[in-house]
């Protein structure tokens, strides 16, 4: 459908609580998800939330479709996260274990920061047809879901950083890597 402009940190739409989807399997919802997918793939993102393209609804997508065995050049070593549409998500951390890891965001281009996230997670929600989604995940998969769900509550990853010495420009922290924004 369309690659849409991604809002950057400072835009009010990124800072407010998004509203739940009440009707599934509608042309409007399918069009929104297609635009999110086109935009995420164009930018090689690991995920994207609807508020990032200016739609304040509780819809996120993340992960990769298997395209001829291609690997997302942004995360060549990451465990493969299956392509997922998740609507009205509910996250429940499992255990108290927290892991630190580097994150970037399409709405904070050119930067990276270390963010603590729950290591293990149970998440539920719905796909675009209204079918339930219910998963237990850990590690990178859990991190991506937490990052994207934060967007639905007006939270950007820099707000989660506990040590601002580990927040800065991608090409300063990773000078030898061709890191793109996500
Ligand atoms: Ni983000």
């Amino acid at each position: 459908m369309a690659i849409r402009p991604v809002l950057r940190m400072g835009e009010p739409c990124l800072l407010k609580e998004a509203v739940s989807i009440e009707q599934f399997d509608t042309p409007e919802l399918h069009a929104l998800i297609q635009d999110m997918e086109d935009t995420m793939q164009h930018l090689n993102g690991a995920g994207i939330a609807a508020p990032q393209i200016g739609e304040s609804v509780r819809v996120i997508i993340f992960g990769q479709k298997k395209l001829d065995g291609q690997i997302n050049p942004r995360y060549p070593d990451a465990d493969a996260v299956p392509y997922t549409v998740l609507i009205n998500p509910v996250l429940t951390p499992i255990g108290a274990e927290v892991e630190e890891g580097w994150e970037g965001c399409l709405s904070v281009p050119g930067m990276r920061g270390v963010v603590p996230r729950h290591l293990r997670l149970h998440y539920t929600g719905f796909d675009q047809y209204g079918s339930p989604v219910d998963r237990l995940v850990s590690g990178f998969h859990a991190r991506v879901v937490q990052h994207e769900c934060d967007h639905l509550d007006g939270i950007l990853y820099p707000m989660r950083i506990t040590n601002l010495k580990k927040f800065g420009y991608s090409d300063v922290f990773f000078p030898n890597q061709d890191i793109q924004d996500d």
Side-chain angles (χ1 to χ4, degrees), residues 52 104-107 147-148 151:
Q52 293 183 274
C105 182
L106 296 170
S107 296
H147 176 114
E148 298 310 331
H151 278 297

PDB file of all heavy atoms in Angstrom, residues 52 104-107 147-148 151, ligand 1:
ATOM      1  N   GLN A  52       3.569   5.300  15.658  1.00  0.00           N
ATOM      2  CA  GLN A  52       4.753   5.803  14.969  1.00  0.00           C
ATOM      3  C   GLN A  52       4.436   6.317  13.574  1.00  0.00           C
ATOM      4  O   GLN A  52       5.223   7.073  13.002  1.00  0.00           O
ATOM      5  CB  GLN A  52       5.842   4.724  14.891  1.00  0.00           C
ATOM      6  CG  GLN A  52       6.425   4.374  16.261  1.00  0.00           C
ATOM      7  CD  GLN A  52       7.531   3.357  16.133  1.00  0.00           C
ATOM      8  OE1 GLN A  52       7.283   2.157  16.101  1.00  0.00           O
ATOM      9  NE2 GLN A  52       8.767   3.827  16.057  1.00  0.00           N
ATOM     10  N   GLY A 104      17.312   0.392  19.568  1.00  0.00           N
ATOM     11  CA  GLY A 104      17.157   1.583  18.755  1.00  0.00           C
ATOM     12  C   GLY A 104      15.683   1.730  18.448  1.00  0.00           C
ATOM     13  O   GLY A 104      14.876   0.885  18.828  1.00  0.00           O
ATOM     14  N   CYS A 105      15.324   2.799  17.776  1.00  0.00           N
ATOM     15  CA  CYS A 105      13.914   3.033  17.487  1.00  0.00           C
ATOM     16  C   CYS A 105      13.799   3.872  16.222  1.00  0.00           C
ATOM     17  O   CYS A 105      14.561   4.831  16.051  1.00  0.00           O
ATOM     18  CB  CYS A 105      13.261   3.755  18.661  1.00  0.00           C
ATOM     19  SG  CYS A 105      11.496   4.057  18.438  1.00  0.00           S
ATOM     20  N   LEU A 106      12.866   3.513  15.370  1.00  0.00           N
ATOM     21  CA  LEU A 106      12.644   4.281  14.142  1.00  0.00           C
ATOM     22  C   LEU A 106      12.284   5.733  14.450  1.00  0.00           C
ATOM     23  O   LEU A 106      12.492   6.609  13.621  1.00  0.00           O
ATOM     24  CB  LEU A 106      11.526   3.640  13.312  1.00  0.00           C
ATOM     25  CG  LEU A 106      11.810   2.229  12.788  1.00  0.00           C
ATOM     26  CD1 LEU A 106      10.550   1.622  12.199  1.00  0.00           C
ATOM     27  CD2 LEU A 106      12.931   2.247  11.761  1.00  0.00           C
ATOM     28  N   SER A 107      11.761   5.978  15.641  1.00  0.00           N
ATOM     29  CA  SER A 107      11.357   7.334  16.030  1.00  0.00           C
ATOM     30  C   SER A 107      12.481   8.112  16.717  1.00  0.00           C
ATOM     31  O   SER A 107      12.295   9.279  17.068  1.00  0.00           O
ATOM     32  CB  SER A 107      10.134   7.276  16.960  1.00  0.00           C
ATOM     33  OG  SER A 107       9.034   6.733  16.263  1.00  0.00           O
ATOM     34  N   HIS A 147       9.304  -3.317  23.800  1.00  0.00           N
ATOM     35  CA  HIS A 147       9.596  -2.027  23.167  1.00  0.00           C
ATOM     36  C   HIS A 147       8.379  -1.528  22.384  1.00  0.00           C
ATOM     37  O   HIS A 147       7.979  -0.363  22.520  1.00  0.00           O
ATOM     38  CB  HIS A 147      10.818  -2.183  22.239  1.00  0.00           C
ATOM     39  CG  HIS A 147      11.162  -0.952  21.459  1.00  0.00           C
ATOM     40  ND1 HIS A 147      12.324  -0.242  21.645  1.00  0.00           N
ATOM     41  CD2 HIS A 147      10.485  -0.292  20.467  1.00  0.00           C
ATOM     42  CE1 HIS A 147      12.347   0.796  20.818  1.00  0.00           C
ATOM     43  NE2 HIS A 147      11.237   0.777  20.088  1.00  0.00           N
ATOM     44  N   GLU A 148       7.785  -2.416  21.583  1.00  0.00           N
ATOM     45  CA  GLU A 148       6.648  -1.989  20.745  1.00  0.00           C
ATOM     46  C   GLU A 148       5.420  -1.673  21.597  1.00  0.00           C
ATOM     47  O   GLU A 148       4.700  -0.709  21.318  1.00  0.00           O
ATOM     48  CB  GLU A 148       6.324  -3.050  19.686  1.00  0.00           C
ATOM     49  CG  GLU A 148       7.440  -3.346  18.692  1.00  0.00           C
ATOM     50  CD  GLU A 148       8.034  -2.114  18.039  1.00  0.00           C
ATOM     51  OE1 GLU A 148       7.326  -1.104  17.879  1.00  0.00           O
ATOM     52  OE2 GLU A 148       9.238  -2.152  17.709  1.00  0.00           O
ATOM     53  N   HIS A 151       5.272   1.756  23.037  1.00  0.00           N
ATOM     54  CA  HIS A 151       4.803   2.815  22.134  1.00  0.00           C
ATOM     55  C   HIS A 151       3.298   3.062  22.302  1.00  0.00           C
ATOM     56  O   HIS A 151       2.823   4.172  22.072  1.00  0.00           O
ATOM     57  CB  HIS A 151       5.083   2.431  20.674  1.00  0.00           C
ATOM     58  CG  HIS A 151       6.482   2.708  20.224  1.00  0.00           C
ATOM     59  ND1 HIS A 151       7.025   3.968  20.179  1.00  0.00           N
ATOM     60  CD2 HIS A 151       7.458   1.873  19.771  1.00  0.00           C
ATOM     61  CE1 HIS A 151       8.274   3.907  19.717  1.00  0.00           C
ATOM     62  NE2 HIS A 151       8.564   2.637  19.467  1.00  0.00           N
TER      63      HIS A 151
HETATM   64 NI1  LIG B   1      10.424   2.076  18.637  1.00  0.00          NI
END
